[in-house]
Amino acid sequence: MEQRHPLPPYTLETAKQKIQLAEDGWNSQDPERVSLAYTPDSEWRNRSEFVNGRAEIVAFLTKKWQNEKNYKLKKEYWAHTDNRIAVRFEYEYQNPEGKWFRAYGNENWEFDENGLMEKRYASINDLEITEADRKFK
């Protein structure tokens, strides 16, 4: 059985470790690598899109990072329980036309006993910014 440490139940320390691992994974912009942190039948809500399973995760992330150039993400601990973690995040990216955006949001995560994410619910808002307003360079 595949496992992704740290495993639940989470402490404050291990929840923060899990968040950092997720941030590092997403900043790699490698859809295959990112997908391995999720169960094979993982459920996502990302804005208004629903994504189910690793194959759809890879397809979703491939398309995302084709349209979001110079992507840089920062995640921050918000709360946790035994097998759930809530984070707030912001990321910056450049669209295909060269305009810069900062996205703000919250995610709720639920993990199985092997530390794989079963559910990911993300609410995200985008704000157009100037290059001079960028935080993550």
Side-chain angles (χ1 to χ4, degrees), residues 35-67:
S35 74
L36 296 177
Y38 299 88
T39 60
D41 61 348
S42 185
E43 294 176 23
W44 284 21
R45 183 185 57 76
N46 194 90
R47 300 175 195 250
S48 61
E49 292 186 60
F50 294 86
V51 179
N52 293 288
R54 286 184 179 162
E56 288 185 21
I57 290 169
V58 170
F60 173 87
L61 293 174
T62 298
K63 181 179 173 186
K64 172 186 180 63
W65 289 320
Q66 287 172 347
N67 293 310

Side-chain angles (χ1 to χ4, degrees), residues 22-30 34 65 71-74:
E23 179 182 305
D24 294 345
W26 280 66
N27 279 327
S28 77
Q29 297 178 50
D30 180 342
V34 172
W65 289 320
Y71 178 93
K72 179 68 176 167
L73 167 73
K74 295 296 286 178

Side-chain angles (χ1 to χ4, degrees), residues 61-100:
L61 293 174
T62 298
K63 181 179 173 186
K64 172 186 180 63
W65 289 320
Q66 287 172 347
N67 293 310
E68 295 181 0
K69 305 295 183 192
N70 300 305
Y71 178 93
K72 179 68 176 167
L73 167 73
K74 295 296 286 178
K75 292 186 181 283
E76 179 182 306
Y77 172 85
W78 192 258
H80 77 281
T81 62
D82 293 337
N83 72 327
R84 293 180 175 171
I85 299 173
V87 299
R88 68 162 300 280
F89 64 88
E90 54 188 328
Y91 65 89
E92 293 176 351
Y93 65 93
Q94 199 172 21
N95 73 5
E97 291 76 39
K99 292 184 180 180
W100 283 97

Side-chain angles (χ1 to χ4, degrees), residues 16 48 53 108 110 128:
K16 288 182 175 183
S48 61
N108 296 311
E110 185 174 311
E128 188 172 341

